[in-house]
Amino acid sequence: MTPRDDRPRENRSHENRSRDERAGSGRRPGRDAQGRERSGSRGSGGPRRGWSDSAPSQRSRTATSSRLVAYEAMRAVAEDDAYANLALPKILRKHRMHGRDAAFTTQLFYGTLRAQGRLDAIIAACIDRPLDQVEPAVLDILRLGAFQLLDMEVAPHAATSETVGLARQVVGAGSASFVNAILRRIGEKPRDAWIEQVAPPREDDEIAHLAVVHSHPAWIVRALRDALVAHGRDRSELEALLAAQNAAPQVSLVMRPGLTDLEELIDNGAAAPVWSVFGATWPSGDPGGIDPVKEGRAAVQDEGSQLMALALGLGADSLVMADDARWLDLCAGPGGKTALLGGLTVGHDAELLATELQEHRTRLVDRAVATLLDAGAEIETRTADGRTVGAEMPGEFSRILADVPCTGLGALRRRPESRWRRAPGDVGQLGVIQRELLESALDAAAPGGVVAYVTCSPHVAETLLVVTDVLRRRDDVEQLDARDAVRAGIVPGRAAEAELGEGPTVQLWPHVHGTDAMFLALLRKRPADAPDTAPSTTEETA
């Protein structure tokens, strides 16, 4: 159906919107939260499946709570620059939403964010104006409706009707009419037919084609292809990687060392980990209600992130050639890796300094390590610029974690909004900061100390090029093979399956390891009496 040129304007007066919203108030009794029809009675004939108890004029005047919550989260991401993985749980708690409703909302919200590029291409084909001329709130509503129509098992009439109800409730009847017309057009074809129409042919432009099909900006598709090749994998894996970046990630738990164990987590509903010796997997939903998490003895953390911290805290034991009493986490916020390292210091009789540039993120680190402090770990947090720590505290630390700020292209499963916020220019700006932080970390390292350079991005300009550039400028640093250090944190019997490449760096991948795309390089400050040649790699360590 082609939208009428004389459709009502999107911006209605406050008086008219208030009248329309009052007329449409109330939950639609004929639908459940997922848009499925409920059974009901009709006349004296008794229950009949597929009928609503409400009159047609009363139906779909407002959205179900699930769609409203998803919409609120979308607006928080768009208007407040909120992180998706932080915004949604807060809004779910505000609405006291649990169970199936929460699961539906989560699928709708994250799915719409991941598919935004593809959805926008389809929506653009259905309207007679550029998307930047559509009111942002209305565009978010169209995206939510289009995702239900094309990607979810929601009946088309329910997806359209309930989304129009959402529009009527939050932006007014005029916009609801516009949304109705566009969604009816979108509903005329299945997803594959729309993709065939709006995606450039693969034979003409593979990058542009994959960008639409897998809903990534073209520059990110190109960067991921180049990263696969640079890190020793095949470019033919690109489509599998893009698909994995659009899949909902497995929820992983991490144990605070010495405060809980796998048996307790399993007793609380978790399962064995895939990789990390301090990990566990959570089947579904929010694990925040179990005692180990509520009490700070466990937390949610990707297993790839755990392996990065464990490579330094466990795997570097045989690599450190300095007095091993002082450790440093240079960019500590929000504190997940800090807590894992902090727990490991107890067994090493070491103390940990955690520095973070932003004060509010320092408070997050304080919260993450609070239980460990109560248990006797020596952890100090400090708000400071990591780029100056090397000059202020030169040669003081035996182990340093430099988990530097990056584009986050390795965590697009968890933060799908990042793909739409980032721009190619961000890579260069961050590269300057990354080099400065790595230089500072090496200055802060004692002779014989080990620095772990970590990013949550596989981008070549944030990983291999940073390490190469810094090494080129220094003659007091040697690169170590990081593979065995990573294997030290893997559950017994699984290390041989890890596919850690040819070294000396390690790059994890969502489509290979099921983790975020974490990168690790291990560098050692040369001992004062070391010869000016690189020693053998770490293949002898276990």
Side-chain angles (χ1 to χ4, degrees), residues 115-146:
Q116 180 174 309
R118 170 170 54 81
L119 297 174
D120 282 359
I122 295 169
I123 293 168
C126 297
I127 64 176
D128 56 0
R129 72 188 78 169
L131 290 188
D132 60 8
Q133 294 181 17
V134 178
E135 184 181 345
V138 173
L139 184 55
D140 272 347
I141 293 170
L142 285 170
R143 290 164 175 161
L144 290 167

PDB file of all heavy atoms in Angstrom, residues 115-146:
ATOM      1  N   ALA A 115      19.749  -4.819  13.942  1.00  0.00           N
ATOM      2  CA  ALA A 115      19.258  -4.811  12.557  1.00  0.00           C
ATOM      3  C   ALA A 115      19.008  -3.412  12.025  1.00  0.00           C
ATOM      4  O   ALA A 115      18.489  -3.255  10.928  1.00  0.00           O
ATOM      5  CB  ALA A 115      17.973  -5.640  12.463  1.00  0.00           C
ATOM      6  N   GLN A 116      19.376  -2.390  12.757  1.00  0.00           N
ATOM      7  CA  GLN A 116      18.965  -1.025  12.431  1.00  0.00           C
ATOM      8  C   GLN A 116      19.334  -0.616  11.007  1.00  0.00           C
ATOM      9  O   GLN A 116      18.532  -0.012  10.298  1.00  0.00           O
ATOM     10  CB  GLN A 116      19.584  -0.046  13.426  1.00  0.00           C
ATOM     11  CG  GLN A 116      19.219   1.400  13.182  1.00  0.00           C
ATOM     12  CD  GLN A 116      19.747   2.313  14.278  1.00  0.00           C
ATOM     13  OE1 GLN A 116      19.535   2.044  15.460  1.00  0.00           O
ATOM     14  NE2 GLN A 116      20.450   3.360  13.901  1.00  0.00           N
ATOM     15  N   GLY A 117      20.537  -0.927  10.557  1.00  0.00           N
ATOM     16  CA  GLY A 117      20.944  -0.536   9.216  1.00  0.00           C
ATOM     17  C   GLY A 117      20.074  -1.172   8.146  1.00  0.00           C
ATOM     18  O   GLY A 117      19.653  -0.501   7.190  1.00  0.00           O
ATOM     19  N   ARG A 118      19.819  -2.466   8.276  1.00  0.00           N
ATOM     20  CA  ARG A 118      18.958  -3.147   7.306  1.00  0.00           C
ATOM     21  C   ARG A 118      17.533  -2.626   7.372  1.00  0.00           C
ATOM     22  O   ARG A 118      16.890  -2.390   6.347  1.00  0.00           O
ATOM     23  CB  ARG A 118      18.998  -4.663   7.552  1.00  0.00           C
ATOM     24  CG  ARG A 118      17.962  -5.437   6.774  1.00  0.00           C
ATOM     25  CD  ARG A 118      18.206  -6.929   6.856  1.00  0.00           C
ATOM     26  NE  ARG A 118      18.308  -7.430   8.216  1.00  0.00           N
ATOM     27  CZ  ARG A 118      17.262  -7.707   8.994  1.00  0.00           C
ATOM     28  NH1 ARG A 118      16.026  -7.469   8.572  1.00  0.00           N
ATOM     29  NH2 ARG A 118      17.448  -8.197  10.207  1.00  0.00           N
ATOM     30  N   LEU A 119      17.024  -2.438   8.585  1.00  0.00           N
ATOM     31  CA  LEU A 119      15.661  -1.927   8.740  1.00  0.00           C
ATOM     32  C   LEU A 119      15.523  -0.539   8.134  1.00  0.00           C
ATOM     33  O   LEU A 119      14.520  -0.228   7.482  1.00  0.00           O
ATOM     34  CB  LEU A 119      15.279  -1.895  10.223  1.00  0.00           C
ATOM     35  CG  LEU A 119      15.237  -3.244  10.946  1.00  0.00           C
ATOM     36  CD1 LEU A 119      14.983  -3.031  12.433  1.00  0.00           C
ATOM     37  CD2 LEU A 119      14.182  -4.162  10.344  1.00  0.00           C
ATOM     38  N   ASP A 120      16.530   0.305   8.334  1.00  0.00           N
ATOM     39  CA  ASP A 120      16.472   1.656   7.780  1.00  0.00           C
ATOM     40  C   ASP A 120      16.442   1.625   6.254  1.00  0.00           C
ATOM     41  O   ASP A 120      15.754   2.438   5.618  1.00  0.00           O
ATOM     42  CB  ASP A 120      17.663   2.480   8.254  1.00  0.00           C
ATOM     43  CG  ASP A 120      17.495   2.973   9.690  1.00  0.00           C
ATOM     44  OD1 ASP A 120      16.452   2.680  10.302  1.00  0.00           O
ATOM     45  OD2 ASP A 120      18.411   3.650  10.194  1.00  0.00           O
ATOM     46  N   ALA A 121      17.192   0.706   5.650  1.00  0.00           N
ATOM     47  CA  ALA A 121      17.176   0.605   4.195  1.00  0.00           C
ATOM     48  C   ALA A 121      15.788   0.212   3.695  1.00  0.00           C
ATOM     49  O   ALA A 121      15.317   0.711   2.659  1.00  0.00           O
ATOM     50  CB  ALA A 121      18.221  -0.410   3.731  1.00  0.00           C
ATOM     51  N   ILE A 122      15.122  -0.666   4.431  1.00  0.00           N
ATOM     52  CA  ILE A 122      13.783  -1.097   4.039  1.00  0.00           C
ATOM     53  C   ILE A 122      12.762   0.010   4.274  1.00  0.00           C
ATOM     54  O   ILE A 122      11.897   0.285   3.421  1.00  0.00           O
ATOM     55  CB  ILE A 122      13.410  -2.387   4.797  1.00  0.00           C
ATOM     56  CG1 ILE A 122      14.325  -3.536   4.366  1.00  0.00           C
ATOM     57  CG2 ILE A 122      11.937  -2.746   4.579  1.00  0.00           C
ATOM     58  CD1 ILE A 122      14.222  -4.775   5.228  1.00  0.00           C
ATOM     59  N   ILE A 123      12.853   0.663   5.410  1.00  0.00           N
ATOM     60  CA  ILE A 123      11.935   1.770   5.703  1.00  0.00           C
ATOM     61  C   ILE A 123      12.101   2.875   4.660  1.00  0.00           C
ATOM     62  O   ILE A 123      11.121   3.452   4.177  1.00  0.00           O
ATOM     63  CB  ILE A 123      12.187   2.308   7.126  1.00  0.00           C
ATOM     64  CG1 ILE A 123      11.791   1.249   8.168  1.00  0.00           C
ATOM     65  CG2 ILE A 123      11.402   3.590   7.373  1.00  0.00           C
ATOM     66  CD1 ILE A 123      12.262   1.573   9.583  1.00  0.00           C
ATOM     67  N   ALA A 124      13.347   3.174   4.294  1.00  0.00           N
ATOM     68  CA  ALA A 124      13.598   4.227   3.310  1.00  0.00           C
ATOM     69  C   ALA A 124      12.955   3.919   1.973  1.00  0.00           C
ATOM     70  O   ALA A 124      12.559   4.840   1.235  1.00  0.00           O
ATOM     71  CB  ALA A 124      15.102   4.426   3.140  1.00  0.00           C
ATOM     72  N   ALA A 125      12.846   2.634   1.651  1.00  0.00           N
ATOM     73  CA  ALA A 125      12.222   2.251   0.386  1.00  0.00           C
ATOM     74  C   ALA A 125      10.710   2.411   0.414  1.00  0.00           C
ATOM     75  O   ALA A 125      10.061   2.295  -0.638  1.00  0.00           O
ATOM     76  CB  ALA A 125      12.588   0.801   0.049  1.00  0.00           C
ATOM     77  N   CYS A 126      10.162   2.667   1.585  1.00  0.00           N
ATOM     78  CA  CYS A 126       8.707   2.729   1.738  1.00  0.00           C
ATOM     79  C   CYS A 126       8.175   4.138   1.975  1.00  0.00           C
ATOM     80  O   CYS A 126       6.970   4.326   2.118  1.00  0.00           O
ATOM     81  CB  CYS A 126       8.250   1.828   2.890  1.00  0.00           C
ATOM     82  SG  CYS A 126       8.585   0.079   2.626  1.00  0.00           S
ATOM     83  N   ILE A 127       9.054   5.119   2.082  1.00  0.00           N
ATOM     84  CA  ILE A 127       8.590   6.467   2.340  1.00  0.00           C
ATOM     85  C   ILE A 127       9.138   7.406   1.273  1.00  0.00           C
ATOM     86  O   ILE A 127      10.066   7.065   0.539  1.00  0.00           O
ATOM     87  CB  ILE A 127       9.000   6.962   3.749  1.00  0.00           C
ATOM     88  CG1 ILE A 127      10.520   7.066   3.886  1.00  0.00           C
ATOM     89  CG2 ILE A 127       8.433   6.040   4.822  1.00  0.00           C
ATOM     90  CD1 ILE A 127      10.958   7.645   5.212  1.00  0.00           C
ATOM     91  N   ASP A 128       8.550   8.590   1.208  1.00  0.00           N
ATOM     92  CA  ASP A 128       8.873   9.528   0.148  1.00  0.00           C
ATOM     93  C   ASP A 128       9.724  10.684   0.644  1.00  0.00           C
ATOM     94  O   ASP A 128       9.656  11.785   0.102  1.00  0.00           O
ATOM     95  CB  ASP A 128       7.587  10.070  -0.476  1.00  0.00           C
ATOM     96  CG  ASP A 128       6.665  10.717   0.547  1.00  0.00           C
ATOM     97  OD1 ASP A 128       7.045  10.739   1.740  1.00  0.00           O
ATOM     98  OD2 ASP A 128       5.572  11.181   0.164  1.00  0.00           O
ATOM     99  N   ARG A 129      10.507  10.448   1.677  1.00  0.00           N
ATOM    100  CA  ARG A 129      11.371  11.495   2.215  1.00  0.00           C
ATOM    101  C   ARG A 129      12.628  10.846   2.784  1.00  0.00           C
ATOM    102  O   ARG A 129      12.617   9.653   3.128  1.00  0.00           O
ATOM    103  CB  ARG A 129      10.644  12.275   3.312  1.00  0.00           C
ATOM    104  CG  ARG A 129      10.476  11.483   4.610  1.00  0.00           C
ATOM    105  CD  ARG A 129       9.590  12.158   5.625  1.00  0.00           C
ATOM    106  NE  ARG A 129       8.192  11.985   5.278  1.00  0.00           N
ATOM    107  CZ  ARG A 129       7.195  12.301   6.108  1.00  0.00           C
ATOM    108  NH1 ARG A 129       7.466  12.823   7.291  1.00  0.00           N
ATOM    109  NH2 ARG A 129       5.943  12.094   5.759  1.00  0.00           N
ATOM    110  N   PRO A 130      13.714  11.586   2.923  1.00  0.00           N
ATOM    111  CA  PRO A 130      14.908  11.023   3.568  1.00  0.00           C
ATOM    112  C   PRO A 130      14.617  10.680   5.031  1.00  0.00           C
ATOM    113  O   PRO A 130      13.792  11.332   5.685  1.00  0.00           O
ATOM    114  CB  PRO A 130      15.930  12.165   3.463  1.00  0.00           C
ATOM    115  CG  PRO A 130      15.429  13.037   2.358  1.00  0.00           C
ATOM    116  CD  PRO A 130      13.940  12.942   2.406  1.00  0.00           C
ATOM    117  N   LEU A 131      15.303   9.666   5.534  1.00  0.00           N
ATOM    118  CA  LEU A 131      15.050   9.242   6.916  1.00  0.00           C
ATOM    119  C   LEU A 131      15.384  10.333   7.921  1.00  0.00           C
ATOM    120  O   LEU A 131      14.765  10.384   8.993  1.00  0.00           O
ATOM    121  CB  LEU A 131      15.872   7.985   7.236  1.00  0.00           C
ATOM    122  CG  LEU A 131      15.443   6.686   6.548  1.00  0.00           C
ATOM    123  CD1 LEU A 131      16.227   5.515   7.114  1.00  0.00           C
ATOM    124  CD2 LEU A 131      13.950   6.429   6.690  1.00  0.00           C
ATOM    125  N   ASP A 132      16.334  11.214   7.600  1.00  0.00           N
ATOM    126  CA  ASP A 132      16.672  12.255   8.567  1.00  0.00           C
ATOM    127  C   ASP A 132      15.582  13.319   8.669  1.00  0.00           C
ATOM    128  O   ASP A 132      15.674  14.220   9.499  1.00  0.00           O
ATOM    129  CB  ASP A 132      18.024  12.891   8.247  1.00  0.00           C
ATOM    130  CG  ASP A 132      18.073  13.541   6.864  1.00  0.00           C
ATOM    131  OD1 ASP A 132      17.022  13.639   6.194  1.00  0.00           O
ATOM    132  OD2 ASP A 132      19.170  13.947   6.448  1.00  0.00           O
ATOM    133  N   GLN A 133      14.550  13.219   7.827  1.00  0.00           N
ATOM    134  CA  GLN A 133      13.412  14.119   7.937  1.00  0.00           C
ATOM    135  C   GLN A 133      12.238  13.491   8.690  1.00  0.00           C
ATOM    136  O   GLN A 133      11.176  14.105   8.826  1.00  0.00           O
ATOM    137  CB  GLN A 133      12.948  14.572   6.547  1.00  0.00           C
ATOM    138  CG  GLN A 133      13.964  15.442   5.830  1.00  0.00           C
ATOM    139  CD  GLN A 133      13.475  15.908   4.476  1.00  0.00           C
ATOM    140  OE1 GLN A 133      12.284  15.851   4.177  1.00  0.00           O
ATOM    141  NE2 GLN A 133      14.402  16.373   3.638  1.00  0.00           N
ATOM    142  N   VAL A 134      12.412  12.257   9.152  1.00  0.00           N
ATOM    143  CA  VAL A 134      11.409  11.589   9.977  1.00  0.00           C
ATOM    144  C   VAL A 134      11.752  11.857  11.439  1.00  0.00           C
ATOM    145  O   VAL A 134      12.916  11.752  11.848  1.00  0.00           O
ATOM    146  CB  VAL A 134      11.381  10.074   9.712  1.00  0.00           C
ATOM    147  CG1 VAL A 134      10.365   9.376  10.617  1.00  0.00           C
ATOM    148  CG2 VAL A 134      11.062   9.791   8.245  1.00  0.00           C
ATOM    149  N   GLU A 135      10.765  12.208  12.228  1.00  0.00           N
ATOM    150  CA  GLU A 135      10.980  12.455  13.651  1.00  0.00           C
ATOM    151  C   GLU A 135      11.693  11.253  14.273  1.00  0.00           C
ATOM    152  O   GLU A 135      11.262  10.113  14.088  1.00  0.00           O
ATOM    153  CB  GLU A 135       9.641  12.698  14.334  1.00  0.00           C
ATOM    154  CG  GLU A 135       9.745  13.066  15.803  1.00  0.00           C
ATOM    155  CD  GLU A 135       8.387  13.279  16.440  1.00  0.00           C
ATOM    156  OE1 GLU A 135       7.399  13.410  15.696  1.00  0.00           O
ATOM    157  OE2 GLU A 135       8.322  13.293  17.674  1.00  0.00           O
ATOM    158  N   PRO A 136      12.799  11.460  15.002  1.00  0.00           N
ATOM    159  CA  PRO A 136      13.562  10.325  15.530  1.00  0.00           C
ATOM    160  C   PRO A 136      12.724   9.337  16.336  1.00  0.00           C
ATOM    161  O   PRO A 136      12.920   8.120  16.219  1.00  0.00           O
ATOM    162  CB  PRO A 136      14.626  11.000  16.390  1.00  0.00           C
ATOM    163  CG  PRO A 136      14.824  12.334  15.763  1.00  0.00           C
ATOM    164  CD  PRO A 136      13.467  12.755  15.277  1.00  0.00           C
ATOM    165  N   ALA A 137      11.802   9.825  17.147  1.00  0.00           N
ATOM    166  CA  ALA A 137      10.973   8.908  17.931  1.00  0.00           C
ATOM    167  C   ALA A 137      10.103   8.050  17.021  1.00  0.00           C
ATOM    168  O   ALA A 137       9.906   6.854  17.262  1.00  0.00           O
ATOM    169  CB  ALA A 137      10.100   9.695  18.908  1.00  0.00           C
ATOM    170  N   VAL A 138       9.577   8.659  15.960  1.00  0.00           N
ATOM    171  CA  VAL A 138       8.743   7.903  15.007  1.00  0.00           C
ATOM    172  C   VAL A 138       9.593   6.870  14.275  1.00  0.00           C
ATOM    173  O   VAL A 138       9.153   5.738  14.050  1.00  0.00           O
ATOM    174  CB  VAL A 138       8.057   8.867  14.020  1.00  0.00           C
ATOM    175  CG1 VAL A 138       7.323   8.087  12.927  1.00  0.00           C
ATOM    176  CG2 VAL A 138       7.084   9.784  14.757  1.00  0.00           C
ATOM    177  N   LEU A 139      10.826   7.249  13.921  1.00  0.00           N
ATOM    178  CA  LEU A 139      11.702   6.306  13.237  1.00  0.00           C
ATOM    179  C   LEU A 139      12.016   5.105  14.130  1.00  0.00           C
ATOM    180  O   LEU A 139      12.049   3.957  13.660  1.00  0.00           O
ATOM    181  CB  LEU A 139      12.985   7.010  12.808  1.00  0.00           C
ATOM    182  CG  LEU A 139      13.975   6.188  11.984  1.00  0.00           C
ATOM    183  CD1 LEU A 139      13.317   5.604  10.748  1.00  0.00           C
ATOM    184  CD2 LEU A 139      15.181   7.058  11.602  1.00  0.00           C
ATOM    185  N   ASP A 140      12.244   5.337  15.416  1.00  0.00           N
ATOM    186  CA  ASP A 140      12.469   4.211  16.329  1.00  0.00           C
ATOM    187  C   ASP A 140      11.245   3.299  16.387  1.00  0.00           C
ATOM    188  O   ASP A 140      11.381   2.070  16.457  1.00  0.00           O
ATOM    189  CB  ASP A 140      12.815   4.729  17.727  1.00  0.00           C
ATOM    190  CG  ASP A 140      14.307   4.979  17.914  1.00  0.00           C
ATOM    191  OD1 ASP A 140      15.094   4.524  17.058  1.00  0.00           O
ATOM    192  OD2 ASP A 140      14.688   5.632  18.898  1.00  0.00           O
ATOM    193  N   ILE A 141      10.052   3.882  16.392  1.00  0.00           N
ATOM    194  CA  ILE A 141       8.840   3.069  16.409  1.00  0.00           C
ATOM    195  C   ILE A 141       8.733   2.242  15.132  1.00  0.00           C
ATOM    196  O   ILE A 141       8.384   1.052  15.165  1.00  0.00           O
ATOM    197  CB  ILE A 141       7.606   3.966  16.599  1.00  0.00           C
ATOM    198  CG1 ILE A 141       7.616   4.583  17.992  1.00  0.00           C
ATOM    199  CG2 ILE A 141       6.314   3.172  16.385  1.00  0.00           C
ATOM    200  CD1 ILE A 141       6.571   5.662  18.196  1.00  0.00           C
ATOM    201  N   LEU A 142       9.038   2.847  13.991  1.00  0.00           N
ATOM    202  CA  LEU A 142       9.020   2.110  12.725  1.00  0.00           C
ATOM    203  C   LEU A 142      10.028   0.959  12.751  1.00  0.00           C
ATOM    204  O   LEU A 142       9.734  -0.139  12.252  1.00  0.00           O
ATOM    205  CB  LEU A 142       9.331   3.048  11.569  1.00  0.00           C
ATOM    206  CG  LEU A 142       8.206   3.995  11.147  1.00  0.00           C
ATOM    207  CD1 LEU A 142       8.732   5.029  10.152  1.00  0.00           C
ATOM    208  CD2 LEU A 142       7.046   3.212  10.537  1.00  0.00           C
ATOM    209  N   ARG A 143      11.189   1.210  13.316  1.00  0.00           N
ATOM    210  CA  ARG A 143      12.194   0.138  13.400  1.00  0.00           C
ATOM    211  C   ARG A 143      11.681  -1.016  14.247  1.00  0.00           C
ATOM    212  O   ARG A 143      11.835  -2.190  13.880  1.00  0.00           O
ATOM    213  CB  ARG A 143      13.488   0.688  13.994  1.00  0.00           C
ATOM    214  CG  ARG A 143      14.248   1.640  13.080  1.00  0.00           C
ATOM    215  CD  ARG A 143      15.275   2.448  13.841  1.00  0.00           C
ATOM    216  NE  ARG A 143      16.100   3.281  12.975  1.00  0.00           N
ATOM    217  CZ  ARG A 143      16.803   4.324  13.383  1.00  0.00           C
ATOM    218  NH1 ARG A 143      16.777   4.682  14.687  1.00  0.00           N
ATOM    219  NH2 ARG A 143      17.528   5.017  12.547  1.00  0.00           N
ATOM    220  N   LEU A 144      11.085  -0.702  15.392  1.00  0.00           N
ATOM    221  CA  LEU A 144      10.548  -1.757  16.262  1.00  0.00           C
ATOM    222  C   LEU A 144       9.469  -2.545  15.543  1.00  0.00           C
ATOM    223  O   LEU A 144       9.413  -3.784  15.639  1.00  0.00           O
ATOM    224  CB  LEU A 144       9.996  -1.139  17.546  1.00  0.00           C
ATOM    225  CG  LEU A 144      11.026  -0.564  18.527  1.00  0.00           C
ATOM    226  CD1 LEU A 144      10.330   0.293  19.585  1.00  0.00           C
ATOM    227  CD2 LEU A 144      11.824  -1.673  19.197  1.00  0.00           C
ATOM    228  N   GLY A 145       8.585  -1.861  14.831  1.00  0.00           N
ATOM    229  CA  GLY A 145       7.529  -2.559  14.105  1.00  0.00           C
ATOM    230  C   GLY A 145       8.075  -3.389  12.974  1.00  0.00           C
ATOM    231  O   GLY A 145       7.656  -4.547  12.758  1.00  0.00           O
ATOM    232  N   ALA A 146       9.034  -2.838  12.219  1.00  0.00           N
ATOM    233  CA  ALA A 146       9.599  -3.571  11.096  1.00  0.00           C
ATOM    234  C   ALA A 146      10.335  -4.815  11.566  1.00  0.00           C
ATOM    235  O   ALA A 146      10.265  -5.876  10.921  1.00  0.00           O
ATOM    236  CB  ALA A 146      10.541  -2.658  10.306  1.00  0.00           C
TER     237      ALA A 146
END
